[in-house]
Amino acid sequence: MSRLVVVSNRVAPIKDGKAVAGGLAVGVYEALRDSGGIWFGWNGEISASPELASETHGRITYATLGLTRRDYDHYYRGFSNATLWPIFHYRIDLARYRRDEYEGYRSVNRKLAEQLKPLLRKDDVIWVHDYHLIPFADECRRLGIRNRIGFFLHIPFPAPEILTAIPPHNDLFRTLCAYDLIGFQTEVDRQAFSDYITREVRGVPGPDGYLTAYGHRFRAEVYPIGVVPDEIQATAASYKGRRNLIGRTAAGEPCPTIISVDRLDYSKGLLERFCAYEELLQRYPEHHRNVQFVQIAPTSRSDVKTYQHIRQQLETQAGHINGRYAELDWMPLHYLNRSHERRVLMGLFRGAGIGLVTPLRDGMNLVAKEYVAAQDPENPGVLVLSRFAGAARELNTALIVNPYDTVGMAEALDRALRMPLAERKDRYASMMLSIRHNDLGRWRDRFLADLHAAGAGRQPTDKIAV
Ligand code: ADQ
């Protein structure tokens, strides 16, 4: 059987049970843990002279290297997170473009391909993840690497009109066409990609998801990332710590909890969510003392400027809500700015009557699926979910909200707080069906089966036309 080589921007050797914040890390780790293989990428450190190092835990060998300060600034902070991330999340207003950062991005992709090359065996299958590494396969091909190479985009793929705001979009997406298989979270993303390729570069769509562009034939398909529901359910059920972080209602009952867990990122709609919670308290005073909102949001990319700004705004808004509504014995909002172990999160999900997941844009959003999977089937909570999360395509019996509609979200929260058990059970059962159907194993197995098939026709003389 072919060996699996996973390439992603950030690789942190993970020992079982250690916290992993970030959907890509969770998804890739759980996928590799079963099959075994190599996980290659940046070790998260800045180094004057980066050198490749490797360590093995269980069945996974982690091959990692550092980045120079300049590469970090240009490739990671710059083009990846100050240009691509905002634009792919429809925030052109937050994006900036600098040509030297794009050159740095291209050059890091080249250097990573050069470092990976000596580790490869002839029949390895290479699975590359996310927007930091769009040009990676193109660089591999230039080095003569003929292995099958697939790419999965974890974040949304926006409409072509948005994408063309990236000045070197033609060059960037030409390199994307060097992959044998390109995977997206939803059909909307795949369609937007196909529109871009047919409209902007006059690529030709063929049957079965194949496209031809720049003289190369490749496949684009949809693979919604999933979770491992039985494991989550078992972890959540066996968690013995505090489920109800704090409160008791005036009647002495455990206080119903609304829970949100996100990386601290402007795409996650945290500020809009805080405003909706305030609207709930203002419109429905009967919930005072009878609800608590727990927002867990560890900082991420804290040295990118827009992230510092969002953090300040959230702190101000959290202080405002508690200042306005808190009582000596009731704290309406708990805002925790740090990471938590997975088992603790799953236990908290199970104890929370409402999961509030309201990104402004999200490729999928694993928290939505984790929250549902963690519920007690006999007394499940309610998921309130943004229509702009990829997960809303599958979890369509959640209470679907528009995160720009503050009053609409407050109404949905009120409805969730009052929802009868029978309705909660019906909605939960339907969501669990789709979570089980599209679980993490299926995501990995479908992608890898298609990658084997998609690259099967590649000839050693195939060239990518430029
Ligand atoms: P993210 O933007 O990181 O992922 P998400 O899918 O919600 O978003 O995944 C977050 C993961 O990190 C979840 O597994 C969650 O449990 C964990 N996590 C979050 N906060 C945590 C905390 N405080 N402590 C510990 N763990 C925490 C990107 C895309 C998403 C896409 C995923 C997977 O932006 O759209 O769903 O990749 O493809």
Side-chain angles (χ1 to χ4, degrees):
M1 214 178 90
S2 316
R3 188 175 60 162
L4 177 59
V5 176
V6 168
V7 183
S8 68
N9 165 63
R10 179 81 167 87
V11 180
I14 295 158
K15 293 168 194 120
D16 278 333
K18 210 179 144 195
V20 197
L24 185 151
V26 171
V28 167
Y29 170 68
E30 293 190 355
L32 254 177
R33 191 183 49 184
D34 295 342
S35 66
I38 295 184
W39 191 350
F40 172 82
W42 176 41
N43 61 13
E45 284 165 22
I46 306 287
S47 152
S49 48
E51 275 179 28
L52 192 68
S54 79
E55 55 182 294
T56 301
H57 296 286
R59 306 182 63 198
I60 309 175
T61 297
Y62 299 87
T64 60
L65 70 171
L67 287 177
T68 63
R69 166 62 59 186
R70 186 184 163 82
D71 284 345
Y72 173 78
D73 285 342
H74 287 183
Y75 150 84
Y76 181 75
R77 281 178 64 204
F79 192 71
S80 292
N81 285 320
T83 307
L84 291 181
W85 177 272
I87 289 182
F88 277 51
H89 288 86
Y90 286 76
R91 294 299 302 268
I92 302 183
D93 58 318
L94 296 180
R96 67 144 194 259
Y97 173 69
R98 282 179 41 182
R99 186 177 290 193
D100 56 345
E101 290 178 348
Y102 182 57
E103 284 160 4
Y105 173 85
R106 294 297 312 269
S107 123
V108 168
N109 271 271
R110 191 173 318 126
K111 286 186 237 176
L112 289 173
E114 285 164 1
Q115 293 282 345
L116 179 66
K117 187 177 175 187
L119 306 183
L120 290 175
R121 296 181 196 151
K122 201 164 137 258
D123 61 349
D124 282 348
V125 168
I126 306 171
W127 188 2
V128 181
H129 291 262
D130 234 3
Y131 60 102
H132 316 82
L133 298 169
I134 290 172
F136 190 80
D138 187 50
E139 297 298 346
C140 288
R141 299 302 180 216
R142 284 176 202 276
L143 294 170
I145 296 169
R146 312 304 320 166
N147 301 55
R148 294 176 173 89
I149 315 181
F151 178 81
F152 184 77
L153 184 68
H154 289 255
I155 63 177
F157 193 91
E161 271 307 297
I162 305 276
L163 275 189
T164 51
I166 303 169
H169 64 92
N170 267 319
D171 183 61
L172 181 67
F173 293 111
R174 175 190 62 72
T175 65
L176 181 57
C177 297
Y179 284 97
D180 297 305
L181 175 66
I182 304 168
F184 298 96
Q185 300 273 26
T186 68
E187 176 55 25
V188 175
D189 302 308
R190 193 202 62 77
Q191 188 59 53
F193 172 70
S194 176
D195 288 351
Y196 175 87
I197 292 296
T198 45
R199 270 201 254 161
E200 280 293 322
V201 303
R202 275 177 276 166
V204 184
D208 301 331
Y210 277 89
L211 288 154
T212 307
Y214 298 107
H216 186 46
R217 188 166 172 272
F218 54 94
R219 189 168 174 202
E221 256 307 334
V222 179
Y223 308 92
I225 194 168
V227 296
V228 186
D230 289 337
E231 194 175 290
I232 291 176
Q233 210 163 64
T235 310
S238 65
Y239 176 66
K240 297 279 183 272
R242 291 176 71 167
R243 291 189 193 282
N244 252 284
L245 278 187
I246 356 97
R248 296 255 152 204
T249 64
E253 301 291 321
C255 192
T257 301
I258 301 172
I259 194 160
S260 295
V261 175
D262 314 76
R263 279 184 307 101
L264 208 166
D265 192 292
Y266 48 83
S267 68
K268 302 290 184 186
L270 281 88
L271 200 57
E272 291 75 2
R273 191 181 299 159
F274 281 16
C275 293
Y277 182 61
E278 185 177 13
E279 187 73 30
L280 173 82
L281 298 179
Q282 191 187 316
R283 282 185 171 247
Y284 306 98
E286 61 271 34
H287 294 309
H288 292 191
R289 292 173 178 274
N290 289 322
V291 68
Q292 60 188 349
F293 175 26
V294 178
Q295 169 71 64
I296 298 179
T299 41
S300 69
R301 305 171 197 164
S302 50
D303 54 353
V304 179
K305 217 172 178 179
T306 40
Y307 288 77
Q308 294 158 3
H309 183 56
I310 175 91
R311 188 172 174 183
Q312 282 163 3
Q313 285 180 308
L314 286 169
E315 281 166 7
T316 306
Q317 181 65 4
H320 165 74
I321 293 174
N322 281 333
R324 186 168 168 197
Y325 290 103
E327 305 279 351
L328 278 177
D329 56 353
W330 176 54
M331 182 77 90
L333 170 59
H334 298 257
Y335 174 40
L336 311 178
N337 222 209
R338 67 190 138 84
S339 205
H340 286 70
E341 271 184 49
R342 251 182 105 61
R343 63 180 188 87
V344 177
L345 283 186
M346 300 310 132
L348 292 174
F349 284 159
R350 194 175 177 99
I354 299 176
L356 183 57
V357 183
T358 55
L360 305 178
R361 286 280 159 187
D362 218 329
M364 176 55 63
N365 196 300
L366 290 177
V367 171
K369 294 186 173 181
E370 289 165 353
Y371 173 78
V372 176
Q375 294 309 299
D376 173 359
E378 295 311 314
N379 184 22
V382 182
L383 176 66
V384 178
L385 179 62
S386 162
R387 58 171 296 151
F388 301 118
R393 310 248 134 208
E394 297 158 77
L395 307 182
N396 52 14
T397 53
L399 288 184
I400 303 292
V401 294
N402 181 332
Y404 297 99
D405 179 4
T406 311
V407 174
M409 278 205 282
E411 287 168 350
L413 285 173
D414 175 60
R415 183 171 168 200
L417 283 163
R418 299 172 195 277
M419 191 177 285
L421 179 62
E423 182 179 352
R424 284 191 271 129
K425 277 180 151 179
D426 281 354
R427 289 174 182 270
Y428 163 81
S430 153
M431 288 191 279
M432 278 308 281
L433 274 182
S434 94
I435 286 174
R436 285 195 188 287
H437 180 67
N438 274 332
D439 69 1
L440 189 74
R442 185 162 191 265
W443 171 72
R444 179 197 58 205
D445 295 346
R446 278 187 62 229
F447 187 95
L448 291 177
D450 286 353
L451 180 55
H452 273 99
R458 173 175 287 284
Q459 298 299 314
T461 52
D462 277 0
K463 284 264 177 343
I464 314 291
V466 181

